[in-house]
Structure formats: structure tokens, C-alpha cells
Amino acid sequence: MLKIILPSIMLLPLTWLSNNKNMWVNVTSYSFMISFLSVMILWQNDMNILNFSLLFSTDSLSSPLIILTTWLLPLMLLASQNHMKKESEQNKKIYVSMLVLLQILLIMTFSANELIMFYILFEATLIPTLIIITRWGNQTERLNAGLYFLFYTLIGSIPLLIALIYIQNHMGTLNFLLFPLTFSPLDQTWSNNILWLACMMA
């Protein structure tokens, strides 16, 4: 995953070090290059996941989500240039930085092997999203929309957090790669249905 995460991180200094006239062109073209690079993770040698580390890897489910994430950034940049025309140069760079940060967090979220890492990274995506909604939202009620978005998402994810803590206590790990090695699998009881419901609700 480093071949996608590291170029995405490099978008941040590119945004702030580009001169004002070429900033949109530089960031958009570089993000398109990352998008084309990410398509390569679709073609894997076998059905096994690309195991880069114990924390991050891709499989047939996460690869399309990562590719979609990398393609959304250049499209968002193209769509928002006209909307941001009247903003100051610093506000434009902050806006692009928030979009880049959102992409980095989403890539790490979709490639996380550890379930608690997935939870933390997904909740971390709320911060740049909230800033984008409340600062650059189109409607006058954008502050209320941002607050509703934040609280509904946090409240909706609490059952998932409780389910993850229960699984951690019962199995001793939340890592997908270590699940087959655990000696205490979850019992086939009614509590499994509640765990499934808590994960699906989130």
C-alpha cells in the first residue's frame, strides 16, 4: 500500500509549494497519476491478499474501494475549481489539503487489516469532511448539516465499537490475518446475531 499512500502524502507539500497560478494543474495532474497507478492493484497474481504488513493490505473487496477513492480526488478538484475561484489562495490550498487528507485516510481505512485501526481511521475521516462541509458548503445551513453529520456518524458507530471490544476480549485479536490462528472462536449463539447487527448498523 505504500506505493499509493506515499505518493498521496506527497500531494500535501506539492499543494503548498506550488505557485498560485499552477497549483490546480499540478495537484490535479499528479492525483490523476496516482489514480492510474492505483488501477494496478486490481490485477493480483492469485486470490491471496497482497500482504504488505500486518496492518495494511489489499484484497478483492478493498481494491475497488481504494481505486474509487483515488479517482474521486482529481474529479473533485476538477469540479471545485470554478466554485473556489473567489476564495483567497490560502483558502484554496487549505481546501485541497483537506481533500488530500481525506484521500489518505480513506486509503488507509480500506486497506486496514486491524479492525480497531479501521474504526479509528474511518472516524478520522470525519474531521476533514466536517471542515469541508462547514467551511465550503453551499447552503446557509451548512453548520447544522455538519453537526448533524458528525453526531449521527459518531452515534451510529458506537455499536460497532462495542462489538469490536467484545470480539477483542473474546478472541484476543482484531487482526484479520490472525483470526484463523486464534484458539477461541466466537460461539454460534444469539450473541453472534447481535454482533452482526451492531457491525451492519454502523
Side-chain angles (χ1 to χ4, degrees), residues 49-59 62 108-118 121 173-179:
I49 56 175
L50 290 175
N51 191 5
F52 299 108
S53 70
L54 281 176
L55 289 179
F56 299 106
S57 62
T58 59
D59 56 14
S62 63
M108 293 173 74
T109 299
F110 292 137
S111 61
N113 281 333
E114 189 87 28
L115 283 173
I116 201 70
M117 179 77 79
F118 166 81
L121 288 169
T173 184
L174 287 175
N175 196 306
F176 283 126
L177 302 177
L178 300 178
F179 277 159

Side-chain angles (χ1 to χ4, degrees), residues 73-166:
L73 176 64
L75 296 178
M76 283 189 293
L77 290 171
L78 287 173
S80 58
Q81 286 183 35
N82 192 35
H83 177 69
M84 298 292 292
K85 202 177 281 184
K86 296 178 182 177
E87 296 280 343
S88 67
E89 296 303 327
Q90 185 171 359
N91 281 348
K92 290 178 185 175
K93 291 186 177 184
I94 293 172
Y95 174 76
V96 173
S97 299
M98 290 295 111
L99 293 179
V100 170
L101 185 61
L102 191 57
Q103 173 176 304
I104 294 166
L105 290 171
L106 282 173
I107 290 171
M108 293 173 74
T109 299
F110 292 137
S111 61
N113 281 333
E114 189 87 28
L115 283 173
I116 201 70
M117 179 77 79
F118 166 81
Y119 179 84
I120 292 169
L121 288 169
F122 186 74
E123 294 301 318
T125 59
L126 294 178
I127 299 168
T129 309
L130 184 66
I131 293 171
I132 291 170
I133 290 172
T134 54
R135 174 61 185 88
W136 291 283
N138 228 0
Q139 284 77 21
T140 52
E141 298 87 10
R142 58 182 184 260
L143 289 175
N144 285 338
L147 285 175
Y148 289 148
F149 163 75
L150 179 67
F151 285 112
Y152 284 144
T153 310
L154 286 175
I155 291 169
S157 65
I158 287 173
L160 175 62
L161 180 62
I162 294 168
L164 291 180
I165 292 170
Y166 176 82

Side-chain angles (χ1 to χ4, degrees), residues 23-61:
M23 190 263 296
W24 289 104
V25 176
N26 292 345
V27 176
T28 306
S29 57
Y30 188 71
S31 60
F32 266 121
M33 288 171 50
I34 295 171
S35 304
F36 285 114
L37 184 67
S38 70
V39 175
M40 292 192 310
I41 66 173
L42 268 183
W43 292 280
Q44 301 179 16
N45 295 332
D46 53 15
M47 291 306 290
N48 295 328
I49 56 175
L50 290 175
N51 191 5
F52 299 108
S53 70
L54 281 176
L55 289 179
F56 299 106
S57 62
T58 59
D59 56 14
S60 57
L61 183 64

Side-chain angles (χ1 to χ4, degrees), residues 159 162-164 166-167 170 185-199:
I162 294 168
L164 291 180
Y166 176 82
I167 295 170
H170 193 76
L186 289 170
D187 301 323
Q188 297 297 321
T189 60
W190 60 271
S191 63
N192 277 3
N193 296 332
I194 294 178
L195 288 175
W196 178 86
L197 185 63
C199 293

Side-chain angles (χ1 to χ4, degrees), residues 14-24 26 89 93:
L14 179 68
T15 302
W16 287 95
L17 296 176
S18 296
N19 60 12
N20 298 333
K21 193 167 68 172
N22 297 329
M23 190 263 296
W24 289 104
N26 292 345
E89 296 303 327
K93 291 186 177 184

